[in-house]
Amino acid sequence: MQQIKTSFDFEKPIADLVQQIEKVKQVADKTKVDMSATLAELDGKLDETTNHLYKNLTGWNKVQMSRHPDRPQTLDYISMICDDFIELHGDRTVRDDKAIIGGFATINGQTVMLIGHQKGKNTKERQFRNFGMANPEGYRKALRLMRLAEKFNKPVISLIDTMGAYPGLEAEERGQGEAIARNLLEMSILRVPIVCIIIGEGASGGALGIGIGDKVYMLEHTWYSVISPESCSSILWRSWDFKEKAAECLKLTSDDMFGNKLIDGIIPEPLGGAHQDPELMGQTLKDYITKDLAALGKLKTDKMIEQRIEKFCAMGVVNE
């Protein structure tokens, strides 16, 4: 099996077994004693432990996985799945919001408008990208690009990964709520196919602002909710100490969301998460996008919009 790089406390059983295997190998090399039976047993136990652990992650474990520093972000996926990419800047009103990037790209010869959050990989990048938390001008830039895609009849691909829209005073002064609401309205009636994929964190209106689509997917180890577990814990219990409990109560995992019919599907990740094999994750993403664009391209525009609106209107409806 592939070598799993561990980072979190819940991955300690894997790290312990890997350490045992390394020690046995060192002893075998030193003493020239045949330890193949012991190694085979430990390898089998490692496979079993790894598969069991990643198939039984808690809600909080998945939140941790979605925040892994090595997890692929929008720019990583663009480099892996796109033949080319021309970034477009600015909302033509205030400025260019670096938390959201977008532009024309080519995937398997098909031109698309690709829009997504970008958090950054190190401290300097994260400050430059505002940790992936967009201001109103970010959502207005996204809307401008979607309208441009509609003008040239090109499908829209949206990659979502944000802790939420930026909550600063200046963002509210410039109309954060209105900008997100406007995107919800305009995306619901956009006359081109839209495929949305949550590649990391999907928090609140910050995610929903570019999250209305004909197909909405979540990667296996991601989360999607109206609020983060930490914020929920601080509101309900006045402390972050109950974030694990909050994560379970929020039902924010991909399995929960699919079970509640709030997303269209779950995209499987490599064993141990997308960061363990980014190339494989990129190819899987590309396959899903290509398949859906081909299927959506066969629908009549009015029918596609009707289905999109009906899907979102049906969410949360209770029949007694």
Side-chain angles (χ1 to χ4, degrees):
M1 63 169 288
Q2 65 174 9
Q3 183 67 48
I4 298 291
K5 296 176 286 186
T6 59
S7 303
F8 305 113
D9 290 341
F10 68 84
E11 294 175 312
K12 190 174 184 300
I14 297 173
D16 290 343
L17 282 167
V18 169
Q19 192 174 17
Q20 285 183 47
I21 290 170
E22 289 302 317
K23 284 182 179 177
V24 170
K25 285 180 179 178
Q26 289 173 7
V27 170
D29 288 340
K30 264 185 188 178
T31 62
K32 306 301 180 184
V33 175
D34 183 10
M35 307 285 284
S36 56
T38 304
L39 285 172
E41 183 182 348
L42 285 172
D43 281 335
K45 193 172 182 181
L46 178 60
D47 284 347
E48 183 182 345
T49 302
T50 302
N51 283 293
H52 180 267
L53 189 149
Y54 288 114
K55 285 179 180 176
N56 294 278
L57 295 177
T58 65
W60 177 245
N61 293 156
K62 292 207 172 189
V63 171
Q64 290 177 291
M65 293 280 281
S66 74
R67 296 171 177 171
H68 195 285
D70 295 330
R71 192 175 181 84
Q73 299 180 10
T74 296
L75 284 174
D76 298 314
Y77 286 119
I78 287 173
S79 66
M80 287 188 284
I81 71 178
C82 298
D83 304 320
D84 54 39
F85 176 67
I86 301 172
E87 186 174 357
L88 302 173
H89 300 272
D91 70 335
R92 301 296 185 266
T93 304
V94 179
R95 64 184 174 92
D96 182 39
D97 191 334
K98 304 299 183 181
I100 289 185
I101 60 174
F104 283 115
T106 306
I107 301 176
N108 282 351
Q110 181 175 7
T111 301
V112 302
M113 179 62 77
L114 200 151
I115 300 167
H117 297 98
Q118 180 67 21
K119 286 181 174 177
K121 293 294 185 76
N122 53 47
T123 302
K124 189 174 180 179
E125 281 184 23
R126 288 178 185 131
Q127 289 177 331
F128 179 69
R129 299 286 180 184
N130 201 32
F131 297 84
M133 297 187 292
N135 281 275
E137 49 269 27
Y139 294 103
R140 290 177 179 133
K141 174 171 75 170
L143 179 56
R144 181 178 76 82
L145 299 185
M146 287 186 275
R147 284 174 173 162
L148 191 62
E150 183 182 50
K151 179 179 179 180
F152 292 106
N153 195 31
K154 303 300 180 186
V156 174
I157 309 298
S158 171
L159 302 182
I160 299 164
D161 184 14
T162 181
M163 295 181 287
Y166 183 59
L169 179 61
E170 62 273 24
E172 298 299 338
E173 288 174 342
R174 292 197 297 273
Q176 185 74 283
E178 188 278 336
I180 293 172
R182 175 67 59 183
N183 279 22
L184 303 186
L185 171 62
E186 298 289 346
M187 289 185 81
S188 67
I189 57 175
L190 203 71
R191 299 185 67 79
V192 292
I194 309 173
V195 177
C196 304
I197 304 171
I198 296 156
I199 60 172
E201 298 185 86
S204 192
L208 201 57
I210 58 170
I212 304 295
D214 302 292
K215 294 290 184 180
V216 180
Y217 293 107
M218 290 177 68
L219 266 58
E220 185 180 359
H221 302 313
T222 61
W223 65 276
Y224 196 18
S225 177
V226 70
I227 193 171
S228 71
E230 294 95 333
S231 297
C232 178
S233 175
S234 66
I235 291 171
L236 295 181
W237 292 283
R238 308 297 184 193
S239 166
W240 278 22
D241 296 340
F242 298 91
K243 55 186 181 292
E244 292 93 343
K245 183 176 181 180
E248 295 304 318
C249 294
L250 285 169
K251 302 295 180 184
L252 43 65
T253 68
S254 54
D255 291 327
D256 293 323
M257 295 295 288
F258 185 64
N260 289 324
K261 300 180 180 178
L262 298 174
I263 59 172
D264 297 295
I266 301 171
I267 300 178
E269 296 189 23
L271 186 64
H275 56 282
Q276 299 289 353
D277 194 344
E279 292 294 333
L280 176 59
M281 190 70 256
Q283 185 58 51
T284 304
L285 218 62
K286 186 175 183 178
D287 292 342
Y288 270 78
I289 290 170
T290 304
K291 179 191 69 175
D292 282 325
L293 291 184
L296 291 168
K298 297 176 183 177
L299 286 176
K300 290 185 177 179
T301 302
D302 290 339
K303 182 66 175 176
M304 179 181 68
I305 293 172
E306 181 184 341
Q307 289 180 356
R308 189 189 303 159
I309 292 172
E310 285 179 353
K311 178 176 75 171
F312 282 91
C313 286
M315 292 179 183
V317 172
V318 178
N319 295 315
E320 294 183 357

